[in-house]
Amino acid sequence: MKISHEVPLFLLEDSKQFNDYDYALVHLLDSDKDYADYFIKAKQQGRYIILDNSLHELGEAYNDSGLLYWIEKLKPDEFIIPDVWENCNQSIVNARKWAQIKLPEEVTKVAVVQAKGIREAITCYQTYRDLGYQKIAFSYGANYYLDHSSHPNKNLAKALGRIEIVSRLYSARVISPTDRVHLLGCQVPQEFSWYKDMPFIETIDTSNPIMATIDYLSYTSNGLTEKPKANMNDHFYMGADEMDFDLLDHNINSFKKLVK
């Protein structure tokens, strides 16, 4: 699995030391020149880039014209097409539309499974495959994940629920070993250690070890039992003097040990 951690602005250059690829949030490309310049330079340097539609940060996917502008300008290796939170039908409508939109040849379109139950998740995944999508993502934190775990800790339950959904789709051959899957975010970092026998999990992105550091949460050898409250919207412009770098190194290295 290739890993990328979203970081505050001041950490972007340093993130090359611990990120396998770069993960760009489109709304920040539009709003911050230094952020945009970093990704333009990263592209010139041959860094692998995934462009996200910013649904998680904004509550809805970025506007189509802004997305198309940055796809053309940045030419990311992958682009996560607009999806709608826990709305299978509308996400499929969007996927049908974007399947017809011509992008630069080197850009792989990624569709996100959105659902309110496992049957919708299966429908969503199979429809994306039928539409020709070469890579498919699963969001974190969906409420229907709780239907597949009875753990009393809701953070752990949602993590266990996603692994159960992905496992059941794999067992039912909805997902094949040669598929390409991306995992968006996490409730707790140790979830990613449970995918080691699933060869189709290709990439993951999560700011978890960074946000945990901001909240002064220290990873144990088992990960965490709570999701950090900090988020990128509130801490994008934080200063280096606000970061505990010893704790940051500990959390990033602990994350790597969990997933290796």
Side-chain angles (χ1 to χ4, degrees):
M1 293 182 290
K2 300 296 183 183
I3 302 164
S4 186
H5 302 306
E6 300 95 312
V7 299
L9 184 61
F10 83 89
L11 268 179
L12 271 177
E13 283 294 336
D14 290 338
S15 70
K16 293 177 181 176
Q17 304 303 314
F18 51 79
N19 279 342
D20 296 322
Y21 67 92
D22 289 322
Y23 194 83
L25 298 170
V26 68
H27 73 291
L28 293 177
L29 292 172
D30 252 359
S31 65
D32 191 280
K33 184 178 183 301
D34 290 338
Y35 187 83
D37 287 346
Y38 169 84
F39 281 95
I40 291 170
K41 184 178 179 182
K43 180 64 178 180
Q44 294 169 348
Q45 294 171 338
R47 296 276 297 176
Y48 197 92
I49 297 173
I50 296 179
L51 177 63
D52 185 85
N53 66 50
S54 293
L55 167 68
H56 176 68
E57 291 72 23
L58 301 179
E60 60 182 16
Y62 209 60
N63 64 80
D64 289 356
S65 60
L67 289 168
L68 288 167
Y69 171 83
W70 283 106
I71 292 167
E72 189 59 38
K73 187 174 182 65
L74 195 59
K75 292 183 174 61
D77 297 274
E78 299 178 25
F79 161 60
I80 299 177
I81 68 162
D83 54 315
V84 180
W85 181 248
E86 294 189 336
N87 191 322
C88 174
N89 290 337
Q90 191 57 53
S91 295
I92 288 175
V93 168
N94 287 354
R96 291 188 190 280
K97 180 179 77 172
W98 279 90
Q100 302 302 315
I101 296 175
K102 188 173 182 180
L103 302 183
E105 187 175 343
E106 62 266 42
V107 180
T108 295
K109 299 174 186 175
V110 183
V112 181
V113 172
Q114 292 288 359
K116 292 181 179 177
I118 188 169
R119 290 188 179 183
E120 283 191 351
I122 291 171
T123 297
C124 207
Y125 194 96
Q126 290 178 325
T127 302
Y128 292 158
R129 289 290 306 276
D130 292 343
L131 288 169
Y133 283 89
Q134 299 175 22
K135 191 169 183 178
I136 298 172
F138 286 85
S139 62
Y140 87 94
N143 287 316
Y144 78 97
Y145 294 154
L146 294 174
D147 297 335
H148 298 273
S149 173
S150 57
H151 198 289
N153 181 311
K154 297 303 181 185
N155 290 303
L156 298 179
K158 283 188 174 181
L160 290 165
R162 180 164 67 170
I163 186 91
E164 178 65 14
I165 291 295
V166 173
S167 298
R168 289 181 66 180
L169 267 60
Y170 185 39
S171 177
R173 299 185 180 179
V174 175
I175 300 175
S176 73
T178 57
D179 282 359
R180 301 173 61 196
V181 169
H182 177 84
L183 297 178
L184 291 154
C186 68
Q187 293 290 134
V188 291
Q190 60 267 33
E191 177 194 350
F192 297 121
S193 68
W194 305 329
Y195 294 99
K196 292 177 182 177
D197 296 322
M198 299 186 186
F200 51 87
I201 304 294
E202 186 175 85
T203 49
I204 63 176
D205 79 275
T206 176
S207 62
N208 189 276
I210 316 301
M211 297 302 116
T213 301
I214 293 172
D215 279 354
Y216 298 102
L217 297 174
S218 179
Y219 277 34
T220 71
S221 58
N222 295 320
L224 296 173
T225 57
E226 59 183 303
K227 180 175 171 57
K229 294 181 174 61
N231 61 73
M232 193 61 67
N233 286 339
D234 295 334
H235 296 280
F236 180 68
Y237 288 110
M238 70 180 292
D241 59 331
E242 300 174 79
M243 182 70 74
D244 182 334
F245 284 93
D246 289 335
L247 181 57
L248 178 66
D249 288 343
H250 167 77
N251 284 345
I252 290 174
N253 289 328
S254 296
F255 187 98
K256 289 180 179 179
K257 291 177 182 178
L258 286 170
V259 301
K260 73 177 182 180

